[in-house]
Amino acid sequence: MKNEILKYLSKYTVITKELENAISESTFIKTFRKGSVILKEGGISNECYFIIKGCVRSYFLKDGEEKTIEFYTEEQSVIPANYETFKPSESYLECLEDTIVSVGNPKLEKETFQKYPQLESLSRIIAETIILKQQVSFTEFRTSTPEERYLNMMKARPDLHQRAPQHQIASYLGIKPESLSRIRKRIISKK
Amino acid sequence: MKNEILKYLSKYTVITKELENAISESTFIKTFRKGSVILKEGGISNECYFIIKGCVRSYFLKDGEEKTIEFYTEEQSVIPANYETFKPSESYLECLEDTIVSVGNPKLEKETFQKYPQLESLSRIIAETIILKQQVSFTEFRTSTPEERYLNMMKARPDLHQRAPQHQIASYLGIKPESLSRIRKRIISKK
DNA sequence: CAGCTCCATTGACTTTAGTTAAGTAATCAC
DNA sequence: GTGATTACTTAACTAAAGTCAATGGAGCTG
């Protein structure tokens, strides 16, 4: 299972025996059942996750409604917003499917980075890559209509449509379920 | 001037003599006149910037219109989307004011990280912090109406309103200039 | 299997943003 | 300083999303 991480890291660097050791020493596997809540509002989190298999949704409550922050699937990292801060969480983490994750925590992380500085270097590079990718997503979102956002999502992550209910996808797109329903209808009639 | 960076870094760590050296060896100062274009569409960028004083806007063209990606001001880092990729830029970087920046480039960066691993560690931590902050901004944007976005911006970065023309702010908020004009009118009449 | 809950869809209506066009104010260039 | 350009505002109209309510279907539960 753990070689899923190595497979991911191999996109950024050559996997050495050292790196393999670093990963296996600093992470462990956990599995969650569909419907499990990994983190609740108000909860303290001290773990981060790399998704090996499955789907996790983060969301929070605003005006009594669930607002989906992100859907995390295979090869994505979940870092709770309160990771390492010891502050209560404002959001939830929920498994939409049976999910297998690789778990990290600050203590293990710190020790491993000291022992394997190349891993920290790799982490920096990946973090910077994620920043740029996030910025592209954000910009794309900002400059698109709800209809375009839906089409973009279907192109970039078509699997989400099978994995998450439509009202959660709607809130992820920043619109109401009724609007998403109409947008879908409009798209079909255009074809 | 360079101690502006140290001042910023001091939010994350204790500034050692070593760190001071690391910064002064790996960066240099550049100044740009108001209106200067730092990076054009199609241009290759191999520099990143830390803004000491001034304001830089990044934008790109979509359907013949300028879409503002971000306004960068004091203590913010500008990393062009094509930094280190050697691919032509899809966006522009333009100075809205006379601007003083500290410049970094991949070669200097790499050398410095090898010489001062603690700086790379700090960079990782800051990058991870930025990821979380970006996610909060994105989520806030997604779950807000245009009016709320404008109010949020005025609260979080009121200076932008003086520093950037309104139509650029409109595109930053993902709306048309006419809509921003109406939103402002609506807000005033509510008071 | 009946009843319940949750979800997606649809319709009627309201609100708000986009579009187009015109007019005014501000800025820049000569 | 004058003319030209650009930015901002306003208005009338269109298009799309939000709101509220009702319906029908899927899935769960006793």
Side-chain angles (χ1 to χ4, degrees):
Chain A
M1 279 309 184
K2 267 182 184 166
N3 49 23
E4 303 292 333
I5 301 186
L6 296 173
K7 187 183 152 206
Y8 171 72
L9 295 180
S10 72
K11 293 177 185 174
Y12 293 91
T13 190
V14 177
I15 306 299
T16 61
K17 192 72 200 160
E18 272 222 290
L19 200 55
E20 277 185 49
N21 292 340
I23 296 301
S24 75
E25 285 172 30
S26 65
T27 63
F28 58 93
I29 301 288
K30 263 195 194 178
T31 65
F32 295 100
R33 285 258 149 182
K34 175 176 177 173
S36 305
V37 177
I38 300 178
L39 178 65
K40 276 197 176 70
E41 187 176 346
I44 305 291
S45 162
N46 225 4
E47 289 185 339
C48 62
Y49 310 95
F50 176 89
I51 308 224
I52 293 169
K53 186 92 192 65
C55 183
V56 172
R57 177 176 75 116
S58 66
Y59 67 93
F60 70 108
L61 297 177
K62 183 175 176 182
D63 308 327
E65 278 180 12
E66 290 185 3
K67 305 282 185 178
T68 298
I69 298 169
E70 191 57 77
F71 295 106
Y72 299 93
T73 54
E74 288 78 11
E75 300 211 344
Q76 286 190 300
S77 296
V78 184
I79 306 174
N82 66 337
Y83 183 62
E84 288 192 281
T85 65
F86 295 98
K87 288 181 185 162
S89 175
E90 294 179 7
S91 58
Y92 295 79
L93 281 179
E94 166 199 75
C95 297
L96 299 189
E97 304 170 356
D98 289 352
T99 299
I100 307 167
V101 296
S102 174
V103 184
N105 67 48
K107 192 168 167 283
L108 272 172
E109 205 185 82
K110 206 177 167 187
E111 289 168 5
T112 315
F113 284 152
Q114 278 175 0
K115 197 165 165 194
Y116 306 94
Q118 25 156 341
L119 182 63
E120 178 150 35
S121 173
L122 182 57
S123 296
R124 175 191 61 80
I125 290 166
I126 292 175
E128 288 174 0
T129 308
I130 291 175
I131 289 173
L132 293 179
K133 279 187 187 167
Q134 269 187 351
Q135 191 164 64
V136 170
S137 301
F138 195 174
T139 301
E140 188 172 85
F141 187 92
R142 240 195 309 237
T143 60
S144 300
T145 62
E147 181 170 332
E148 289 168 335
R149 284 176 211 155
Y150 177 69
L151 292 170
N152 286 340
M153 190 206 77
M154 289 300 281
K155 205 171 175 181
R157 303 182 67 184
D159 57 306
L160 286 187
H161 200 263
Q162 327 303 328
R163 304 177 95 166
Q166 211 164 291
H167 66 281
Q168 291 178 4
I169 290 175
S171 86
Y172 182 54
L173 297 174
I175 58 178
K176 301 286 165 191
E178 296 92 327
S179 293
L180 179 53
S181 187
R182 277 185 298 228
I183 286 169
R184 282 161 44 79
K185 199 178 168 186
R186 206 161 62 211
I187 291 169
I188 291 164
S189 72
K190 273 185 191 171
K191 287 188 195 167
Chain B
M1 278 308 184
K2 268 182 183 165
N3 50 21
E4 303 292 332
I5 301 185
L6 296 172
K7 187 184 154 207
Y8 171 72
L9 295 179
S10 72
K11 294 177 185 174
Y12 293 91
T13 192
V14 177
I15 306 298
T16 60
K17 192 71 200 157
E18 271 222 291
L19 201 53
E20 278 186 48
N21 292 339
I23 296 301
S24 75
E25 285 173 30
S26 65
T27 63
F28 57 95
I29 301 288
K30 263 194 195 180
T31 65
F32 294 100
R33 287 257 147 181
K34 175 176 178 173
S36 306
V37 177
I38 300 178
L39 176 65
K40 277 197 175 70
E41 187 176 346
I44 306 292
S45 161
N46 226 5
E47 290 185 338
C48 62
Y49 312 94
F50 177 88
I51 307 222
I52 293 169
K53 186 94 193 61
C55 182
V56 172
R57 177 176 76 117
S58 66
Y59 68 92
F60 69 107
L61 298 177
K62 183 176 175 182
D63 308 327
E65 278 179 12
E66 289 185 4
K67 305 282 185 177
T68 298
I69 299 168
E70 191 57 78
F71 295 106
Y72 300 94
T73 54
E74 288 78 12
E75 299 209 345
Q76 286 189 302
S77 296
V78 184
I79 306 173
N82 66 337
Y83 183 61
E84 288 193 280
T85 65
F86 295 99
K87 288 181 186 163
S89 175
E90 294 179 6
S91 58
Y92 294 79
L93 281 179
E94 167 199 75
C95 298
L96 298 188
E97 304 170 355
D98 290 351
T99 300
I100 307 167
V101 297
S102 175
V103 185
N105 67 49
K107 191 167 169 284
L108 272 172
E109 206 185 81
K110 206 178 167 187
E111 289 168 6
T112 316
F113 285 152
Q114 278 176 0
K115 197 164 165 194
Y116 305 95
Q118 24 157 343
L119 182 62
E120 178 150 36
S121 173
L122 182 57
S123 296
R124 175 192 61 82
I125 291 166
I126 292 177
E128 287 174 2
T129 307
I130 290 174
I131 289 174
L132 294 179
K133 280 187 186 165
Q134 269 188 350
Q135 191 164 64
V136 170
S137 302
F138 194 175
T139 300
E140 189 171 84
F141 187 92
R142 242 198 305 240
T143 60
S144 300
T145 62
E147 180 170 332
E148 288 168 337
R149 285 176 211 156
Y150 177 69
L151 291 170
N152 286 339
M153 190 207 76
M154 289 301 280
K155 205 171 176 181
R157 304 181 67 185
D159 58 305
L160 286 187
H161 199 264
Q162 326 304 328
R163 303 177 95 165
Q166 211 164 291
H167 66 281
Q168 291 178 4
I169 290 175
S171 86
Y172 182 54
L173 298 174
I175 58 178
K176 301 285 165 191
E178 296 91 331
S179 293
L180 180 53
S181 188
R182 276 185 300 224
I183 286 169
R184 281 161 45 80
K185 198 178 169 185
R186 206 160 62 211
I187 290 169
I188 291 165
S189 71
K190 274 185 191 170
K191 286 189 195 166

